Amino acid sequence: MTGLVSSYNDFDPLEEIVVGTANAYHLPPVDTSLRHFFQLDDTGDGSDRADAARLARVIEETEEDLAAFTTALTELGVRVRRPDPAGLGERVAQPGWEAEANHALMPRDCLLVVGSTVVEAPMPVRARYAETFPYRGLLAEYFEAGARWLAAPRPRLPEDTYLFTPDGPVLAENEPLFDGANVIRCGADLFFNVSNTGNRLGARWLARAVGGDFTVHEISICDDHVGTTLHLLRPGLLLANAGRLGPDDIPAPLRSWKTLWFDDPADDGYGLDWARASTWIGMNIVSVDRETVIVPAAQNGLVRQLEKEGLTVVPVPYRHGRTFGGGFHCCSLDVRRRGSLESYL
């Protein structure tokens, strides 16, 4: 019998998912780690000076959109779980630095599900150091039901972690670092994006942690997370960002798959002082099964493209993907899909 946690890919029939919350979203002071993640220049302090009323409005609107997302999932037969409330601006610290907790909006970043294993990711942004804590109640429940619960080594995140090169920011290799959203799951194969949110030591740690049933492939297809660059819609079918990738940039084991090239993201704008994501956040989608995809309602071009391929598209409003830097895929974590471990390559 399938346990409460069992998910090997992003396209088998979805049964249970965790959806994050924008409540208690906090704008922490910009430190080296945030500047590194968002590639902020050094001409200003990068701080967002949005007033409390404006922040409250975008939080309220995001919660409305997440409620609509939850309703759509529930109507499709998916069980939706939510985290415990996050503390507002709670302080986190390690020797040498202090930060303020950011949010509990994006479980895809702080957690990674590989089969029946849930991994707490060693995230490089200091403000996200304790981001798994609001999910610990769910993790304990999944553990009691038989899931394997791992936490990667807690990183120290000293200043020399954050390297700024002429080609862009990269992470030092002094400890394992990655976000869960650096990983594309493809059954027995995991594609790990080496970037400013994941280093090669992190890929090596993950390979040993998940064991011999899985192969971890190092790729480098974008600056940080992969959810706005490449999606596996079903075996043999990819959705790719035509603004970032060409045919030769697709990971070699996937080049024989058919690729839908998306090049027309709508711009929803953003509600704070500066955008935390590009317009490509519009392709941050969630597959309910191999034929059904939830897509931000404003992305009419993407809807048409997916429908032309024969997919059933469920449009759901999502106004603040650029505001907060995460779409439906970022703001959710599928923990159970009907299916077993397979090799698709």
Side-chain angles (χ1 to χ4, degrees), residues 10 17 69 73 108 226-234 238-240 260 262 280-289 292-297 299 302-303 306 311-315 326-332 334 337:
D10 282 290
I17 195 168
F69 181 43
L73 287 162
R108 186 79 55 175
V226 291
T228 57
T229 301
L230 191 67
H231 284 282
L232 278 56
L233 295 171
R234 59 176 179 243
L238 306 173
L239 177 68
L260 303 181
F262 178 53
W280 293 107
I281 200 68
M283 67 174 285
N284 199 245
I285 61 177
V286 170
S287 293
V288 177
D289 54 40
T292 310
V293 185
I294 295 177
V295 174
Q299 300 300 325
L302 181 57
V303 170
L306 294 173
L311 292 162
T312 298
V313 178
V314 181
F328 288 136
H329 195 255
C330 299
C331 295
S332 63
D334 49 302
R337 288 182 180 267

Side-chain angles (χ1 to χ4, degrees), residues 77-143:
V78 181
R79 186 187 189 196
V80 178
R81 313 298 300 277
R82 304 299 296 272
D84 293 330
L88 181 60
E90 292 180 339
R91 301 199 70 78
V92 293
Q94 282 289 298
W97 59 264
E98 277 192 1
E100 294 176 9
N102 197 182
H103 58 70
L105 180 57
M106 302 174 199
R108 186 79 55 175
D109 294 355
C110 62
L111 299 168
L112 174 66
V113 174
V114 180
S116 60
T117 298
V118 186
V119 178
E120 294 190 47
M123 305 177 76
V125 173
R126 292 165 175 168
R128 309 186 75 177
Y129 197 83
E131 197 163 307
T132 61
F133 290 3
Y135 299 93
R136 286 284 179 87
L138 286 171
L139 292 175
E141 177 185 338
Y142 294 144
F143 177 75

